[in-house]
Amino acid sequence: MLGRTLQEVSAALKQGQITPVELCQKCLSLIKKTKFLNAYITISEEVALKQAEESEKRYKKGHSLGALDGIPVAVKDNFSTSGIETTCASNMLKGYVPPYNATVVQRLLDQGAVLMGKTNLDEFAMGSGSTDGVFGPVKNPWSYSKQYREKRKQKPHGENEDSNWLITGGSSGGSAAAVSAFTCFAALGSDTGGSTRNPAAHCGIVGFKPSYGLVSRHGLIPLVNSMDVPGILTRCVDDAATVLGVLAGHDPKDSTTIQDPGKPFMLSSLTDVSKLCIGIPKEYLVPELSSEVRSFWSKAANLFESEGAKVIEVSLPHTSYSIVCYHVLCTSEVASNMARFDGLEYGHRCDIDVSTEAMYAATRREGFNDVVRGRILAGNFFLLKENYANYFIKAQKVRRLIANDFVNVFNSGVDVLLTPTTLSEAVPYLEFIKEDNRTRSAQDDIFTQAVNMAGLPARQPEQPGRQVVEHVVETVPGDVKNAQKQ
Amino acid sequence: MAAPMLRGRCLGRCWALACIDSGSRHGRGAATGFTSSGKRGQSFVAQQPLLTAQKSRKGEHKWAAVVGLEIHAQIASNSKLFSGSQVHFAAPPNSLVSFFDASLPGTLPVLNRRCVEAAVMTGLALNCHINKKSLFDRKHYFYADLPAGYQITQQRLPIAVNGSLAYSVCVGKKWRQVITKTVRIKQIQLEQDSGKSLHDELRSQTLIDLNRAGVGLLEVVLEPDMSCGEEAATAVRELQLILQALGTSQANMAEGQLRVDANISVHHPGEPLGVRTEVKNLNSARFLARAIDYEIQRQINELENGCEILNETRSFDYKLGCTVPMRDKEGKQDYRFMPEPNLPPLLLYDTASLPAGADPQQVINIDRIREQLPELPSETREKLIQQYGILPEHSFALLNEVGLLEFFQNVIKETRAEPKKVTSWVLNIFLGFLKQRNLAVNESPVTPSVLAELLNLLDRKVISSAAAKQVMDMKRGNPRAINKLIGLVRKVTHNRADPTVIKEILEKQLSS
């Protein structure tokens, strides 16, 4: 049952093949069994069972709220959940219990979804491995797959099985692992530079990044306000569409959400791709790309072509500047967003009370890890009066150029872009930590962050049985065309 | 301690018409005329009338002072600039704080429409150009009363620019000559107020009250077109009256709804401007002029002694009557301004540019706001002069006290006495009467009707002026006065009236 899609389970609930409480208990039991993955920071067992009971009452009366009623979901721990600890995997917010729900969380709960818990991440969503949070790294469920174990048998290592586990990617690794391990049917992640798509790729599931402005950020503890979006992780594209339908839409509490209600969200059951024009950006063919990923990319392109789609090479000329541009803008906004963490109103406060300044300094040193502090320092540097024009403003201009690259391509008849998501498949943790967070982020965000800067929607489609590499960038905000093969 | 005098040759004096504090009128003396070409003469803030034409002791160089102002006015709105929490004065600490005000992570700003309208109204009243597109920025600094670590303001592109504020000074003998001066308004911007810190020295701690955090402010920046404390104080007073007439701010300095920072420098006329200091948080109408003039004098003294002026921030010590450097400003602050990413550009429309089918709830039309602007103080004064033939300086005085104009107009309605007589009575006797008892107009035991009747009696010569004044005394509660009055009435009616009846009538009238 747990291996089914959201839609299948929803049907099963309606038909009474399983009850919400049974479903919830199954998931809870699996979460306990897979604790070694470290996917969850908080398991909201009591809350979940209560919600499941409510759902059950509704099903009994025949008044289910919709496709999400009774469905176990998980939420990344940088979304505010009322009454449930929200830590962002940081010492700074350990013990912080928000008094309100993020809009996206509320929308899920309003549809009857059952909240299993809060998932693990890189501290404050800064990272591409889900290895840098205070609760420890998240392990990729695929590390324990038959496939991987067989692969490793071929290598002369001989250590104990667990020492060479694979990373999930990040920063929404916990959510990706939770979905991939069947402990829930959908999870919320966040995506600022690829943080939903990257772990989705590494964990073999669907990761969807909606257009900026489509889904409310109210309650999402921000990294980069001008790029963050809530992300959706599921095991199939249809499920992602279902969840998006619930989450999308204007929120008066978030002034950056679009007003236009648009058409209600419907996934077309498109199997005919012959009218699609698919663009392959040539700048994404970088030397660092692993041969495996490269071959998958070609395979995917060929698959579309064989089904009648038009596949052409396109150019995004400013691609090579995007990663540095992203880092300048990202660190600047981070420095600003983290300024509120001073220990006064909420969160960690140090013991020093010699002076306010001393208290601030110690609180922030104790509360933040190196990665966060490093980005704050960098960001403040870029925002200094003497640097602002050369760094921040320049980066904004380059950002405009990058966004225009996409606009030009989509205006020339291309419907979707097909690119890799990651340079290679998921690496072992021991391999990953050989480089620091900054280096890894620079490497791993390379295909994904341009889309964040342009505000575009993008999807990491799943491929059961393998760690996926394709990455599809959509043109029309929120209108996910099902360019999926069987 | 007397306010310090300005040395150097005086070119003239400027006497502000509007009293900031009617009890602290500066000493009078012969004015020597004032050029209206805008040349920056000197102002004179003496309590000592001897300093009419003091020659400078050091050198013959004249000094000119340059004063600019940054005025923060709290917007009169039900809720705060970016959140729905209420705006109230003196509420229990931390009882008006929303999640956003407390900077809880994940909360986002949502712009308050009323605050935008207030800004547009104020901009229009001050002859500004309203920017159809304006932007919000973050101004970063760490302080306990700033929960987010930054203030949302408008640094790059504020909502209104390039306006002007006219105020009047009286010169000449008995201040009969009214000169209108103008100060340019650089800009008006919307920004958040901070919370309040209360320093508890006893326990070495600071208590933070966030009730005020996030309240909407209009920052009005006045160019350095003023040259002395009185001019600055008058300009501030006029701005107060305008804001109150518009209803965009109650502008009550005592309640912190209007705060003034002054930028002051001195130089020799013809030479470049001097280094300026900023004097912050001048929150008392009473001391505004005094503080500015002190600082002007301090700078002159320093320079004449061969010292340099530091570009620093100072505050005014009310007890000592002088400006002191603010201790915690080490070096210049870099506020690391950054665009506020959670607020899209603010777009305003006029009738011509209004998009078809736009939801009126979601758009602001500048033309409509202009049409609905209430009467401004300058218009009101002009009408008074035209309608009642009163003197300009009297029109200022009538508007200067809360409720006085209304009182005056009510008296006029009910009396046959000449407006000039009414004016004289209201401004001199009535106002004096209130000031002696430290009463506001709305606390006056003498109602407009009573005064009107008194004036009628006076007009018909039924009673004398002296008697009428005594009646006012009666209202204070002096029963002997009424007997005297009765005596007078009897006299006037040639002793034909029955004293008891007169007493009854008078008492009835006076107690109503």
Side-chain angles (χ1 to χ4, degrees):
Chain A
M1 179 63 64
L2 296 186
R4 301 213 193 158
T5 69
L6 197 156
Q7 297 197 346
E8 288 169 345
V9 165
S10 182
L13 285 170
K14 272 219 185 80
Q15 289 155 22
Q17 288 169 26
I18 186 168
T19 71
V21 174
E22 282 168 346
L23 187 59
C24 179
Q25 281 165 342
K26 276 193 181 210
C27 287
L28 284 170
S29 141
L30 187 56
I31 291 174
K32 288 184 183 125
K33 275 200 205 127
T34 53
K35 237 184 167 153
F36 57 90
L37 293 176
N38 205 16
Y40 287 83
I41 295 174
T42 303
I43 303 166
S44 46
E45 182 163 344
E46 270 180 47
V47 165
L49 285 168
K50 191 150 170 281
Q51 288 166 349
E53 279 163 20
E54 299 289 314
S55 175
E56 201 159 300
K57 285 184 201 154
R58 288 190 290 269
Y59 273 108
K60 282 208 176 104
K61 288 188 194 154
H63 292 155
S64 87
L65 293 167
L68 286 182
D69 203 340
I71 304 290
V73 298
V75 169
K76 186 175 179 183
D77 208 18
N78 62 353
F79 285 92
S80 263
T81 42
S82 179
I84 300 174
E85 191 183 6
T86 300
T87 65
C88 295
S90 175
N91 276 324
M92 189 58 90
L93 289 178
K94 252 191 192 162
Y96 168 65
V97 180
Y100 74 100
N101 276 326
T103 298
V104 286
V105 170
Q106 192 61 53
R107 288 185 180 181
L108 289 176
L109 296 178
D110 286 345
Q111 287 292 307
V114 174
L115 181 59
M116 305 309 289
K118 307 298 291 298
T119 57
N120 203 350
L121 58 154
D122 284 303
E123 181 162 338
F124 280 109
M126 300 187 204
S128 58
S130 301
T131 53
D132 281 329
V134 291
F135 298 104
V138 184
K139 294 182 183 166
N140 193 329
W142 288 94
S143 317
Y144 308 95
S145 68
K146 199 156 76 172
Q147 201 182 9
Y148 184 61
R149 274 183 269 148
E150 250 148 54
K151 208 177 176 184
R152 279 203 6 260
K153 272 183 196 151
Q154 295 160 12
K155 293 190 183 159
H157 281 302
E159 319 100 349
N160 90 58
E161 185 179 276
D162 204 37
S163 63
N164 219 18
W165 51 269
L166 304 166
I167 57 163
T168 50
S171 61
S172 311
S175 283
V179 170
S180 177
F182 304 105
T183 63
C184 60
F185 292 88
L188 288 182
S190 65
D191 197 312
T192 306
S195 290
T196 292
R197 293 161 285 153
N198 176 303
H202 286 315
C203 294
I205 57 171
V206 174
F208 181 70
K209 176 213 168 291
S211 300
Y212 185 87
L214 184 65
V215 180
S216 171
R217 288 181 299 110
H218 173 253
L220 167 58
I221 296 172
L223 181 61
V224 183
N225 288 295
S226 66
M227 297 185 206
D228 290 350
V229 292
I232 301 169
L233 296 127
T234 54
R235 290 193 289 275
C236 75
V237 175
D238 287 317
D239 293 352
T242 306
V243 176
L244 182 64
V246 165
L247 298 183
H250 176 62
D251 181 11
K253 295 187 186 135
D254 177 354
S255 309
T256 59
T257 51
I258 51 170
Q259 297 270 355
D260 178 14
K263 313 184 283 283
F265 192 73
M266 284 287 273
L267 195 62
S268 56
S269 47
L270 176 72
T271 45
D272 172 24
V273 300
S274 60
K275 295 208 177 69
L276 270 186
C277 175
I278 299 186
I280 310 279
K282 63 181 185 197
E283 290 84 2
Y284 281 48
L285 186 63
V286 295
E288 296 86 359
L289 199 57
S290 80
S291 52
E292 239 190 335
V293 171
R294 215 165 137 172
S295 97
F296 279 134
W297 192 12
S298 296
K299 270 197 193 143
N302 292 337
L303 187 62
F304 279 113
E305 209 164 26
S306 68
E307 295 283 329
K310 186 168 154 209
V311 178
I312 56 168
E313 188 188 73
V314 295
S315 174
L316 299 170
H318 296 92
T319 300
S320 58
Y321 304 116
S322 67
I323 200 85
V324 282
C325 172
Y326 171 75
H327 273 237
V328 169
L329 296 175
C330 173
T331 52
S332 300
E333 287 209 35
V334 162
S336 179
N337 290 329
M338 296 295 141
R340 66 186 58 211
F341 295 107
D342 53 22
L344 276 180
E345 300 86 7
Y346 48 82
H348 172 66
R349 187 199 283 218
C350 68
D351 290 326
I352 295 176
D353 56 3
V354 159
S355 74
T356 316
E357 278 78 20
M359 193 269 277
Y360 275 28
T363 296
R364 289 162 71 80
R365 189 180 60 245
E366 291 169 13
F368 293 138
N369 72 4
D370 285 353
V371 178
V372 178
R373 298 207 316 266
R375 292 200 194 186
I376 291 172
L377 287 171
N380 277 325
F381 173 79
F382 296 135
L383 291 176
L384 288 175
K385 226 186 218 171
E386 65 256 30
N387 295 328
Y388 184 74
N390 284 334
Y391 290 97
F392 191 88
I393 300 232
K394 282 265 161 68
Q396 290 279 46
K397 290 180 176 175
V398 174
R399 181 179 179 174
R400 174 62 60 194
L401 292 176
I402 291 166
N404 285 345
D405 279 355
F406 286 101
V407 168
N408 293 335
V409 162
F410 289 131
N411 279 342
S412 66
V414 173
D415 300 308
V416 293
L417 295 172
L418 182 68
T419 77
T421 303
T422 55
L423 287 168
S424 68
E425 42 180 49
V427 296
Y429 175 73
L430 294 174
E431 191 67 38
F432 185 77
I433 55 171
K434 283 182 185 165
E435 300 276 12
D436 64 42
N437 181 297
R438 164 124 175 62
T439 310
R440 286 298 183 201
S441 297
Q443 292 166 347
D444 299 334
D445 289 347
I446 193 164
F447 296 126
T448 48
Q449 40 74 22
V451 155
N452 291 88
M453 290 208 284
L456 292 168
R459 181 168 50 87
Q460 170 56 56
E462 91 287 7
Q463 255 202 315
R466 44 168 48 114
Q467 286 143 30
V468 194
V469 294
E470 292 115 65
H471 184 223
V472 184
V473 180
E474 318 291 342
T475 59
V476 181
D479 190 359
V480 177
K481 300 198 179 91
N482 186 0
Q484 182 69 8
K485 67 286 148 212
Q486 57 282 359
Chain B
M1 175 177 143
M5 343 162 295
L6 285 176
R7 296 210 194 115
R9 204 150 4 127
C10 302
L11 281 185
R13 296 171 204 178
C14 55
W15 298 120
L17 266 176
C19 305
I20 304 302
D21 168 44
S22 47
S24 70
R25 274 243 170 120
H26 297 289
R28 303 167 190 197
T32 53
F34 201 107
T35 58
S36 50
S37 63
K39 185 177 173 190
R40 296 197 179 102
Q42 286 169 312
S43 71
F44 197 83
V45 181
Q47 307 275 358
Q48 295 149 25
L50 289 171
L51 292 160
T52 315
Q54 179 121 25
K55 285 222 173 74
S56 63
R57 290 186 202 161
K58 296 190 162 105
E60 288 292 311
H61 283 280
K62 298 177 282 194
W63 287 104
V66 166
V67 180
L69 299 176
E70 280 165 26
I71 301 170
H72 292 91
Q74 265 190 11
I75 300 174
S77 60
N78 289 329
S79 55
K80 296 183 180 179
L81 183 55
F82 295 117
S83 73
S85 36
Q86 300 278 296
V87 179
H88 279 305
F89 182 67
N94 292 313
S95 61
L96 303 171
V97 185
S98 68
F99 300 150
F100 173 77
D101 303 331
S103 78
L104 290 196
T107 52
L108 299 170
V110 180
L111 187 55
N112 178 333
R113 186 207 171 95
R114 157 69 184 158
C115 292
V116 179
E117 288 173 348
V120 174
M121 280 176 77
T122 307
L124 291 171
L126 293 172
N127 309 305
C128 294
H129 168 76
I130 307 292
N131 281 329
K132 292 226 185 85
K133 174 172 158 181
S134 62
L135 303 170
F136 290 100
D137 303 288
R138 291 184 181 180
K139 178 180 180 181
H140 299 86
Y141 60 95
F142 285 102
Y143 204 72
D145 63 16
L146 197 68
Y150 58 83
Q151 174 202 36
I152 302 179
T153 177
Q154 293 190 296
Q155 186 240 7
R156 287 170 293 156
L157 198 55
I159 191 167
V161 290
N162 297 338
S164 63
L165 170 64
Y167 60 98
S168 291
V169 286
C170 253
V171 291
K173 272 192 177 170
K174 296 182 194 171
W175 319 309
R176 282 294 144 92
Q177 195 184 351
V178 174
I179 286 187
T180 304
K181 307 203 91 221
T182 312
V183 51
R184 290 168 297 155
I185 293 185
K186 179 165 183 236
Q187 64 190 52
I188 300 177
Q189 64 203 50
L190 281 165
E191 60 184 36
Q192 292 175 304
D193 208 345
S194 64
K196 273 206 191 129
S197 2
L198 304 151
H199 299 290
D200 179 1
E201 301 294 338
L202 203 60
R203 292 181 199 84
S204 297
Q205 59 184 11
T206 304
L207 307 169
I208 307 292
D209 175 12
L210 294 179
N211 282 351
R212 202 183 65 179
V215 170
L217 291 177
L218 290 176
E219 177 173 329
V220 182
V221 181
L222 270 48
E223 298 276 24
D225 294 343
M226 295 160 284
S227 59
C228 64
E230 282 300 319
E231 287 188 359
T234 315
V236 169
R237 182 69 186 121
E238 188 65 13
L239 180 64
Q240 248 183 331
L241 292 173
I242 291 174
L243 293 171
Q244 288 164 354
L246 291 173
T248 53
S249 171
Q250 288 164 45
N252 181 333
M253 286 183 93
E255 291 185 4
Q257 291 158 344
L258 194 76
R259 288 166 247 152
V260 180
D261 299 338
N263 292 308
I264 300 160
S265 72
V266 298
H267 66 284
H268 295 300
E271 285 180 26
L273 297 183
V275 174
R276 65 182 168 98
T277 62
E278 189 189 6
V279 182
K280 278 192 90 70
N281 283 333
L282 298 162
N283 300 341
S284 159
R286 185 184 181 84
F287 292 102
L288 188 69
R290 206 181 287 188
I292 291 172
D293 288 328
Y294 173 87
E295 177 61 17
I296 291 172
Q297 186 59 61
R298 184 194 74 86
Q299 290 192 11
I300 290 175
N301 290 347
E302 289 285 309
L303 290 169
E304 286 191 340
N305 284 327
C307 303
E308 277 188 349
I309 304 296
L310 295 170
N311 175 215
E312 61 178 352
T313 305
R314 301 173 74 87
S315 65
F316 186 66
D317 185 318
Y318 295 95
K319 292 192 199 114
L320 297 175
C322 60
T323 63
V324 294
M326 285 178 82
R327 259 175 294 117
D328 46 19
K329 297 274 174 172
E330 289 173 33
K332 296 218 21 219
Q333 275 266 31
D334 189 332
Y335 293 113
R336 289 162 282 129
F337 285 98
M338 187 186 93
E340 169 56 72
N342 291 318
L343 292 169
L346 174 59
L347 299 177
L348 304 173
Y349 300 93
D350 51 28
T351 311
S353 63
L354 205 57
D359 178 2
Q361 292 294 335
Q362 289 292 322
V363 295
I364 286 182
N365 183 341
I366 300 169
D367 289 334
R368 280 217 68 199
I369 293 180
R370 189 185 284 111
E371 285 159 22
Q372 291 168 353
L373 280 180
E375 188 177 274
L376 295 178
S378 51
E379 292 168 61
T380 312
R381 287 183 203 117
E382 197 49 46
K383 276 192 181 162
L384 286 172
I385 294 169
Q386 299 297 332
Q387 198 172 0
Y388 302 118
I390 63 176
L391 295 170
E393 62 259 37
H394 292 160
S395 72
F396 276 93
L398 279 176
L399 259 65
N400 208 42
E401 196 72 34
V402 178
L404 190 63
L405 177 63
E406 205 187 323
F407 188 93
F408 169 83
Q409 284 169 327
N410 286 338
V411 173
I412 290 262
K413 266 190 242 167
E414 296 187 39
T415 187
R416 279 178 313 188
E418 264 192 22
K420 288 203 175 143
K421 195 88 186 171
V422 179
T423 309
S424 172
W425 263 79
V426 168
L427 288 181
N428 296 323
I429 298 160
F430 175 64
L431 207 54
F433 165 78
L434 286 180
K435 290 302 160 191
Q436 269 185 339
R437 291 154 187 75
N438 212 13
L439 294 171
V441 174
N442 63 0
E443 293 168 334
S444 164
V446 178
T447 62
S449 314
V450 168
L451 188 57
E453 181 133 0
L454 265 182
L455 290 172
N456 283 341
L457 291 173
L458 200 58
D459 195 54
R460 283 176 9 227
K461 302 211 185 344
V462 172
I463 57 175
S464 72
S465 197
K469 286 181 192 155
Q470 285 186 321
V471 173
M472 302 271 290
D473 261 354
M474 169 66 202
K475 274 293 178 175
R476 183 178 46 166
N478 182 354
R480 277 193 293 163
I482 206 177
N483 288 326
K484 249 194 173 171
L485 195 60
I486 295 165
L488 289 169
V489 173
R490 278 182 75 195
K491 223 179 181 181
V492 165
T493 55
H494 302 298
N495 279 330
R496 265 180 257 145
D498 179 349
T500 356
V501 175
I502 298 172
K503 187 168 180 186
E504 261 176 60
I505 295 171
L506 281 173
E507 272 176 336
K508 206 168 164 198
Q509 289 293 336
L510 290 170
S511 62
S512 61

